[in-house]
């Protein structure tokens, strides 16, 4: 943050699949909310990697409830399809926020950040994951949960409830 408080007036976007939101994501959202004036959590409509377990509405509702429970008043939830760079420009966002857990995250995120800056002119700020959450991923949380493991420490309560509903619905 600069001495003249520039970052406090910046709008940040935190994009992702959030299938589902984890405590690692929440940690990044909370820390970004303390730095930037406004944080837009942007859920990608169709993740490239695989078909999401949760619908777009479920993913957004879980994030909205978790942000509300954490009393983060300057955080909003939105969604986007297509290129992040196009959405960033359309929303007049100042900075993209990404969390980094391990070195392999950096390798992927570095080229993505450079491409996004080349396409949109908007820079990416990397936030190192809190070590408590550096091993948590959405895919691991889903695997542990559906194989009967306990994930209470790894996801916000609103996510845990939705995951239980989803599991009961699948039975
Ligand atoms: O939570 P994830 O799956 O790591 O999030 C990845 C996401 C959604 C941020 C990334 O896939 C993305 O930005 N997708 C939008 C399409 C896009 O802009 N692709 C070009 C990136 S160089």
């Amino acid at each position: 943050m600069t001495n003249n408080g520039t970052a406090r007036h910046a709008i940040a976007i935190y994009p992702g699949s959030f299938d589902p939101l984890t405590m690692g994501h929440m940690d990044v959202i909370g820390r970004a909310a303390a730095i930037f004036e406004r944080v837009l959590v942007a859920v990608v409509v169709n993740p490239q990697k695989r078909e999401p377990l949760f619908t777009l509405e479920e993913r957004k509702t879980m994030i909205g409830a978790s942000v509300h429970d954490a009393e983060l008043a300057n955080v909003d939830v939105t969604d986007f399809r297509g290129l992040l760079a196009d959405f960033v420009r359309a929303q007049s966002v100042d900075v993209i926020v990404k969390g980094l857990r391990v070195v392999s995250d950096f390798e992927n995120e570095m080229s993505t950040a450079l491409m996004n800056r080349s396409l949109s002119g908007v820079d990416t700020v990397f936030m190192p994951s809190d070590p408590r959450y550096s091993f948590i991923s959405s895919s691991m949380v889903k695997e542990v949960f559906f194989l009967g493991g306990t994930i209470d420490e790894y996801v916000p309560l609103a996510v845990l409830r939705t995951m239980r509903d989803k599991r009961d619905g699948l039975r």
Side-chain angles (χ1 to χ4, degrees), residues 20 53-54 138-151 162-171:
L53 173 67
F54 296 97
S138 298
S139 47
M140 201 180 280
V141 156
K142 283 182 284 193
E143 184 168 338
V144 170
F145 181 76
F146 286 107
L147 292 175
T150 304
I151 56 159
T162 309
M163 289 189 74
R164 285 180 179 150
D165 290 347
K166 179 73 81 178
R167 181 187 56 196
D168 294 346
L170 293 174
R171 273 180 181 156

Side-chain angles (χ1 to χ4, degrees), residues 15-17 44 48-49 80 82-84 98 112 115-116:
S17 311
V44 69
Q48 265 92 4
K49 285 179 277 190
F80 73 103
L83 276 180
L84 177 63
K98 286 287 186 77
T112 302
M115 178 58 85
N116 281 329

Side-chain angles (χ1 to χ4, degrees), residues 16-47:
S17 311
F18 305 109
D19 186 44
L21 179 81
T22 67
M23 291 302 278
H25 294 130
M26 274 307 288
D27 175 58
V28 172
I29 293 169
R31 287 158 64 199
I35 296 171
F36 302 107
E37 179 174 346
R38 187 164 163 243
V39 178
L40 274 178
V41 181
V43 184
V44 69
V45 174
N46 295 315

